[in-house]
Each structure stands twice: as structure tokens, then as C-alpha cells.
Amino acid sequence: MKVMEETIEELRKNPATEHALKNILRRIGLTVPEGIECKNLPDNIDLRYPVVLKVSDEKILHKTDIGGVKTGIRNREELQSEFKKMKDKFPESSFLIEEMIEGGIEIIVGLIKDKSFGLSIMVGMGGINTEIYGDVTFRLIPIEPRDAEEMIDEVSIGKFTGSGFRGKYVDRDNLVNFLMKISEIGSLSDDFLEQLDLNPVKINGKDIYVLDAKLIKT
Amino acid sequence: MFENLFDPESIAIVGASQNPSKIGFAIIKNLVESGYNKQIYPVNNNAEEILGIHCFRSLSEIGEKIDLCVVALPASSSIETVRECVNLKIPYIVLIPGGFSETGESGRGMEEEISKIIHETGTRIIGPNTVGVYFPYSRVNTALTPPDRISFPVPGEIAFISQSGALGLLTMDSISEYGVGISAFMNLGNRIDVNEIEMLDYFKSDLKTRSIAMYIESVENGGEFYNMIREVNRIKPVVVLKSGRTNASAKAASLHTGAMATDDRIFDGMLKQAGVTRAYNEVELLDYSRILAHSSPFKGKNIAVITTAGGVGVITTDYISASENGIGLNMAVLSENSRELIKKSIISFGSSENPIDLTADGSVSAYDSVLSILEEDMNVDAIIAYALPQTPKMNMGITDVISKHMERGKPIVVGVIGSKLGRELLIEFEKRKIPAYPSIERTVRSLKVLYEYGKYMEGREA
């Protein structure tokens, strides 16, 4: 796993903007939406509509709360107008334009540091399920595949594996592999990582997309 | 390591007292009453003797080898005694007094001083701020409680480590009601030297211990703790009662022990990862430790129930099969052969379906037959047998019958309801190391713990 180690080294040295972080996740074999980072809207973008426009600034951690995310942009005209609005709101920041991923279920995955126990990995159902129902579970880093399996079954995600639930389905093996990779990131970055938030992560059968990624260093 | 602590040839008590209201008296009284019959050396510079035991003016005046020194002096004056213990090469100190780091900066300073004194010497410290230790096999009881207040358990198979001294004493008193035994009790107090991690390691290979019960408010060196408890739990099952689950209680725990709280969801995940059973109160803590000490874990979800009271059978069925207010396992579907055989062994209006109801006619010999049938039935993974005293044909003979079947390997958990004959039954079952519980819920939940441990251990053998 030389790629993994090199990648973590890069993460340690450089500021982790969402775009940089996603590129790193892509390099270690995770899937993120196709996207570009820019200060001004380029004449041509090689992306499939609909797209999502987000402010990309390390200093802004809760971009949705301050109007820094616009989803469902259907064409060039809409993009131009939304970009201008966003640019007026955040004149100093960069922006991320990404292809929008539709369908599937949303989960959250993260790494979080505890003073006594060090880094642990968290997985849970996304959206309100996390906040209202506490549908999340934790394990210490590193986990074994069996721990990942047990985590999936402890939260509602387990109900979507196997034959799925109401037409929505989660491929269990792929999700286990995904969690193993996040655990490995944790093992290699224990010295500088305080928190990693992948929220949401969208799962559609075998496909797992990291839609948003945040990293806080110690 | 620790042999001289758990089985000392001699114990000195510094701060020994003739005054029955003093801790220094209670400790000697407890030692004498537990039947510790090796050397006791009270140290007190005024008294000639305490409870008929000759007193010494100082530790050095004793002039004999001392394995364990119990210090019952105020915090500030205990420091000098620790230094003396080091000079006399005494291997173990139980440092009773409070007034150290739990009270603030100056207390912390005294702890640091003591740590320096014992650093790189052969002297180890339990405490400070501890109610003491109790080792029933060697009859060592250094508890500071007056002996007429608390009963101490008989020798048994559970090692009990408690971060709350008082809760530990009270829990020991409670389990004594049914003759539940322990292999050791330790209150490690502020843990300036000996800590839980080291004790887990010790009990892992202690031949008298078959399971470990821990009450925890906080853990230092979480990573090390996790690695140890995970390893030990695969050899000797561990049950943890961890308090501070909510923000409000975490704050109370922090005031109690002065430690920063870990998010309970992380602690909970850590326990699951290590396969450690979690208890939520002192009753569960000892219930679960007891079944894990007495019984072999099992695989499979199919439970058979034998009862002489229909209602008890139905409520048990609810508890077994419901996932809310229940354990989410299955009521075994008995084989045709079993049902035929059971029909022949019980009265005609009884039920040969699971739950098997022997009705008021239920006798000890009927239990014997039905248990034999269930043992042979591949559809049954574990058995709950109720020993209920209300029927005329029930008697103490049930304990021998269940004991015989328990040895054949299929796990049996016993439920008892009632207090007159019921209490006697529970005591007799415990003597035979059969897990028996005084309520439906406690019986079923304890069974679940045994199942969960078996499930965790599958493919993860030590």
C-alpha cells in the first residue's frame, strides 16, 4: 500500500480543502463525483449536468448553513447565474463544481479522536437519522472486516444489504472494503488527524460516492 | 507477580486502632473475622494490643518479613510510612486514605511524591483512596467498613474490580444473600501505581478466576486498556459496568474521579469490538459475570423453556422472542420425536410444545425426563428451566437433577421465583455452580449474554 502511505504524507503536509481531500480519496481507490475547483467560472466545463456548486474554503466548515451549497443546477445558464450569486457572497473563496449523484441512500462515515482511546471510526445512517435517532456506531481504529460487518448491522444500513429495502440496496462487501480503507487512513494519520467527516456518502448498490469530505487536523 | 499480595504470609496495619469507630480498628476486625490466620502486625505507638493481637510501635520494630502493609493514616502522614515500607522492602501497600488527587492540586502533589518514593523500588501500591481489598481464598480482608454492616462473599470464581469502593462493598453484600462467591475484590482507588490493565492481566491467568466483573468510571491509556481487555476477554469473559453514559452523569463521574469523559458511544463500540459484555447496573454486572463463570458459551438461537407455571412460560416466550423488552432469539421448535416423548413423560393436560408446561403436576422426575429429551434434540441450543416452589411435587432434589444435566454440556439457565423455598433453591444452585436467577427477566437476559459471548468467540478463539 505505497500509494496510501504517500497520499497520507501529502495530507499531513498540505491544507486539506474539500477538493484536495477528494482527490486524495480518489487516489486511494474511493469514488468521488467528477468535479473541478475554480475561482472564476471557466468557459468550458467537462461535466455532466445536473451539477452542484459549493464554496470551497478551509475556513468554512458548515457551508450549507450559510448558503454555500447549490444543488440541482441543470444547465450552463443556471450555472452562470448561481456562480455569480455565490461569488458575490464569498468573493475571496474558491468554488467546486461537481456532477450531482442522484438516488441511493445517504450514510455518514467519519474518524474522530478521543483523548484516552485515540481515533475511532464512526458509521451511521445519514441525514436526520444521525441527529434524531442516534443511528450511529463506533469502533476503535484499526478495525477488522468482521468489525465493519457488525457495525453495518448495528445501524439501519444493515437493512439495505442482502436483498435491499423498498428498492434501495447496499452492496455489503463494497461497504466493508470502504470502511476498511477509512480505518487505514486513520491508522496512518493518527498523529495529525483530529476528525474526518464524510457526510454524506451516497450508496447505490455497488457504487459508493463520497459527496462531501471535511478534515480537521490536531 | 502479585502472589504476596493475594496470599500474604504477614500483614502489617499502620494506623491500627483500639477505637471501634476508627478505620484502623475495622480493618483488623475484618482480618480477624474473615479468618486470616497468618501473621497480623498492628502498628500503633500507644496501644499494647488490639483484639488480643500484640501491637508494635513502628514497622521497623516488627523485625520480621512483611508481605503486605495496610496504611490507615491521614493522607499527609501516610507519605512517611510509604518511605519506611520501601526501606523495609515491603512488596505491597494498600494505601487507604482519601485526600489525594480527588481533592485537588495539593493532593495531586502528594501522589506525585509517593510515586517518586516507590519509583524503581520493589514496592507496589494499591490506592490511595481505596476501601481496601478482599481475597476470600487467603482470607485477606482489609476493608474499612465495620464488619457488622456488610457481609463478604464466599470463595468463588468471579474477580471483581471496582472503581467505586462503596459500590463494591455493597454489591458484595447483596450477592452474599444467595451465596454468590468471588475470587477477589479490589478497589484500586486513585490508581497511582497498580491499575486495571495490570489486574486484568493478572486475573487472565489466575486459576481461581473464571470471569471478571469491572465497575469503571474512567479509563486512562484507552488504547492499552482496549488491547488488554480484548485479549483477556477471549480467555476469561469480562463484564463491564461503565457509568457516565449521558452528559449529566459523565459530569458526576468526572467530579468523583477527576477524569475527562470519553463519548459513551465510543466506549460502547470499544466494548463490542473487544466482545466484552456490558452491564448497566450492579445487579446485571454480577448476574452476567456469574453465568459467564459457570457456563460454556453456546451457538445457535433456539431456546427451550420448561416450566410448571403457564404464565411464567408465556412471559418467558415474550422475553425470548421480542427484540424490544426482550432478547430477540427464537423459541426452539421441538422435533416430532421430542414432542412424542415429552407427551409420555408429562400429565395429559400439560404442554409438550415449547414452552413445555409440566403444570402443577410437575415433579423432579418429570424434569429429569424432559431435560434428557431436550438434550438429544438438535433443534434446541440452550434451555431455561424454571424451578418453581409452588407445586407439591417440587423439592430440593431439582438442584441435583439440573446439576446432572448441566454436566452433559447443553447450557441450562435456571429461573426461580419466590422467597421461601425460592431463596434456598437459589443458594443450592449457586453451590453447584448452576446459574440461577430470581426473576424471569434476569434469567432470560443472562442467557442472552452467554449467547452473545458465544457468537463473538465463534472464529475468534483465543
Side-chain angles (χ1 to χ4, degrees):
Chain A
M1 274 317 269
K2 199 148 177 280
V3 180
M4 182 68 124
E5 274 145 30
E6 282 170 13
T7 317
I8 299 295
E9 207 38 50
E10 200 174 305
L11 203 56
R12 186 192 320 267
K13 284 180 194 145
N14 302 315
T17 62
E18 183 182 344
H19 190 61
L21 189 54
K22 279 179 167 170
N23 279 334
I24 280 169
L25 295 176
R26 188 190 316 230
R27 286 215 331 250
I28 62 169
L30 304 182
T31 312
V32 297
E34 290 297 324
I36 57 163
E37 190 177 41
C38 53
K39 287 217 117 173
N40 297 295
L41 185 61
D43 292 337
N44 267 310
I45 58 164
D46 187 16
L47 297 173
R48 181 177 45 79
Y49 287 95
V51 294
V52 181
L53 174 65
K54 301 178 186 182
V55 62
S56 173
D57 190 324
E58 235 196 336
K59 293 192 262 328
I60 301 174
L61 280 176
H62 300 283
K63 50 187 176 297
T64 317
D65 301 347
I66 53 165
V69 179
K70 179 69 193 172
T71 60
I73 301 171
R74 285 169 297 175
N75 51 47
R76 177 79 191 178
E77 290 66 45
E78 284 185 18
L79 180 60
Q80 275 170 331
S81 124
E82 292 298 340
F83 200 98
K84 188 176 176 305
K85 280 190 227 160
M86 200 73 97
K87 181 94 186 163
D88 290 345
K89 212 183 283 181
F90 308 102
E92 303 300 319
S93 304
S94 292
F95 302 93
L96 198 55
I97 308 166
E98 287 181 336
E99 290 182 359
M100 200 164 144
I101 309 294
E102 291 168 290
I105 67 159
E106 282 187 1
I107 69 163
I108 61 169
V109 176
L111 293 169
I112 186 160
K113 187 165 276 171
D114 174 77
K115 269 210 175 90
S116 181
F117 286 93
L119 277 180
S120 58
I121 180 170
M122 179 261 276
V123 62
M125 279 301 280
I128 60 163
N129 292 291
T130 313
E131 287 161 39
I132 297 182
Y133 305 117
D135 196 1
V136 293
T137 184
F138 294 77
R139 292 293 186 275
L140 302 185
I141 293 297
I143 54 167
E144 293 169 9
R146 191 163 159 182
D147 297 316
E149 298 257 7
E150 286 168 2
M151 291 178 89
I152 294 168
D153 288 327
E154 244 166 70
V155 295
S156 312
I157 303 167
K159 296 190 177 119
F160 294 93
T161 61
S163 50
F165 187 76
R166 298 221 173 128
K168 289 181 175 171
Y169 149 74
V170 169
D171 184 275
R172 177 179 279 267
D173 291 346
N174 281 14
L175 182 53
V176 168
N177 289 338
F178 181 90
L179 295 175
M180 292 306 292
K181 277 210 172 109
I182 303 303
S183 168
E184 204 180 339
I185 294 175
S187 299
L188 292 168
S189 54
D190 189 47
D191 58 319
F192 70 91
L193 196 144
E194 178 73 27
Q195 197 172 333
L196 173 71
D197 271 344
L198 309 181
N199 180 20
V201 173
K202 207 147 208 193
I203 312 185
N204 205 339
K206 287 185 183 301
D207 298 326
I208 304 176
Y209 293 95
V210 177
L211 297 196
D212 200 352
K214 249 184 307 220
L215 185 143
I216 303 169
K217 295 184 182 181
T218 45
Chain B
M1 238 350 220
F2 293 113
E3 280 76 14
N4 291 340
L5 171 66
F6 286 94
D7 189 11
E9 289 300 317
S10 55
I11 303 174
I13 302 94
V14 181
S17 172
Q18 280 178 316
N19 180 346
S21 65
K22 291 271 168 94
I23 284 170
F25 177 83
I27 292 170
I28 295 184
K29 181 111 170 142
N30 277 324
L31 265 177
V32 171
E33 294 211 341
S34 332
Y36 180 74
N37 53 15
K38 296 175 179 172
Q39 288 303 319
I40 302 176
Y41 302 120
V43 176
N44 176 314
N45 53 17
N46 297 315
E48 284 304 315
E49 50 94 21
I50 297 169
L51 290 170
I53 307 169
H54 175 71
C55 274
F56 294 84
R57 296 277 166 269
S58 66
L59 277 173
S60 52
E61 196 198 278
I62 295 168
E64 301 283 338
K65 185 170 158 290
I66 300 161
D67 281 344
L68 171 61
C69 179
V70 182
V71 181
L73 297 169
S76 55
S77 36
S78 68
I79 300 175
E80 228 13 75
T81 304
V82 171
R83 206 185 305 275
E84 230 184 319
C85 289
V86 169
N87 291 338
L88 292 169
K89 297 195 163 45
I90 297 175
Y92 296 101
I93 299 172
V94 172
L95 195 53
I96 301 282
F100 284 94
S101 60
E102 79 279 10
T103 59
E105 235 5 85
S106 75
R108 196 178 309 278
M110 288 193 287
E111 280 183 4
E112 277 162 19
E113 199 180 338
I114 290 174
S115 296
K116 266 190 217 134
I117 295 171
I118 61 163
H119 182 66
E120 287 185 351
T121 69
T123 300
R124 304 296 312 271
I125 290 182
I126 313 289
N129 191 22
T130 167
V131 301
V133 297
Y134 170 57
F135 308 135
Y137 284 99
S138 55
R139 302 174 176 208
V140 172
N141 186 350
T142 76
L144 53 71
T145 185
D148 59 332
R149 302 293 172 80
I150 297 272
S151 26
F152 289 89
V154 295
E157 303 180 323
I158 301 166
F160 183 15
I161 306 170
S162 177
Q163 266 181 22
S164 162
L167 180 73
L169 292 173
L170 296 166
T171 304
M172 285 198 288
D173 189 20
S174 289
I175 61 171
S176 296
E177 185 184 358
Y178 298 117
V180 174
I182 63 167
S183 59
F185 166 74
M186 304 186 83
N187 172 219
L188 299 174
N190 294 1
R191 300 169 278 170
I192 61 168
D193 182 23
V194 175
N195 63 23
E196 281 86 5
I197 299 170
E198 213 172 344
M199 281 299 102
L200 279 169
D201 195 27
Y202 174 82
F203 288 122
K204 179 183 74 183
S205 41
D206 173 42
L207 296 175
K208 298 176 189 81
T209 299
R210 296 198 53 180
S211 72
I212 301 164
M214 301 180 89
Y215 170 66
I216 294 176
E217 286 178 3
S218 70
V219 168
E220 281 170 54
N221 307 320
E224 209 186 314
F225 177 82
Y226 165 68
N227 287 331
M228 180 62 77
I229 202 167
R230 184 163 167 261
E231 181 194 328
V232 174
N233 182 60
R234 292 175 187 207
I235 300 162
K236 302 235 170 110
V238 185
V239 183
V240 167
L241 166 55
K242 165 72 168 66
S243 58
R245 287 187 281 139
T246 64
N247 286 339
S249 56
K251 201 173 160 211
S254 159
L255 291 173
H256 192 179
T257 57
M260 255 294 283
T262 291
D263 185 327
D264 190 64
R265 297 171 304 175
I266 294 176
F267 198 94
D268 196 63
M270 181 276 296
L271 291 179
K272 285 182 175 137
Q273 202 169 357
V276 170
T277 305
R278 183 167 191 171
Y280 289 92
N281 55 53
E282 83 290 1
V283 175
E284 290 183 356
L285 179 66
L286 273 295
D287 276 1
Y288 300 162
S289 303
R290 195 146 57 90
I291 195 163
L292 289 166
H294 293 341
S295 307
S296 305
F298 65 98
K299 294 166 195 167
K301 292 182 161 184
N302 301 317
I303 314 301
V305 177
I306 317 174
T307 179
T308 55
V312 173
V314 182
I315 297 169
T316 303
T317 303
D318 275 341
Y319 263 99
I320 287 174
S321 48
S323 35
E324 216 163 293
N325 276 322
I327 62 170
L329 295 184
N330 305 333
M331 286 298 280
V333 178
L334 305 184
S335 74
E336 188 128 12
N337 185 39
S338 300
R339 276 178 300 191
E340 283 307 312
L341 291 169
I342 291 170
K343 229 175 244 169
K344 286 178 202 155
S345 345
I346 68 173
I347 199 162
S348 59
F349 53 85
S351 166
S352 58
E353 302 276 341
N354 191 17
I356 300 145
D357 186 1
L358 309 186
T359 74
D361 184 63
S363 64
V364 172
S365 66
Y367 262 92
D368 196 8
S369 318
V370 173
L371 282 169
S372 297
I373 297 161
L374 294 178
E375 267 156 22
E376 298 299 319
D377 193 330
M378 300 289 284
N379 298 347
V380 175
D381 299 311
I383 302 163
I384 290 178
Y386 281 101
L388 305 174
Q390 82 284 7
T391 60
K393 292 181 184 170
M394 178 58 65
N395 58 49
M396 296 304 281
I398 188 76
T399 57
D400 290 326
V401 166
I402 289 178
S403 177
K404 178 180 83 185
H405 288 283
M406 182 125 160
E407 278 163 25
R408 296 187 184 159
K410 204 168 265 189
I412 305 175
V413 186
V414 177
V416 178
I417 302 176
S419 70
K420 202 166 184 179
L421 185 67
R423 187 167 168 271
E424 258 181 80
L425 280 164
L426 285 164
I427 291 170
E428 282 304 312
F429 280 119
E430 182 56 32
K431 271 188 197 155
R432 289 164 171 76
K433 296 187 174 138
I434 297 166
Y437 299 94
S439 84
I440 296 172
E441 181 178 6
R442 286 170 67 181
T443 306
V444 177
R445 289 205 189 282
S446 300
L447 177 83
K448 172 71 179 307
V449 162
L450 195 60
Y451 163 79
E452 289 287 352
Y453 184 72
K455 192 172 94 174
Y456 178 85
M457 287 300 287
E458 202 175 347
R460 272 168 169 149
E461 265 68 33

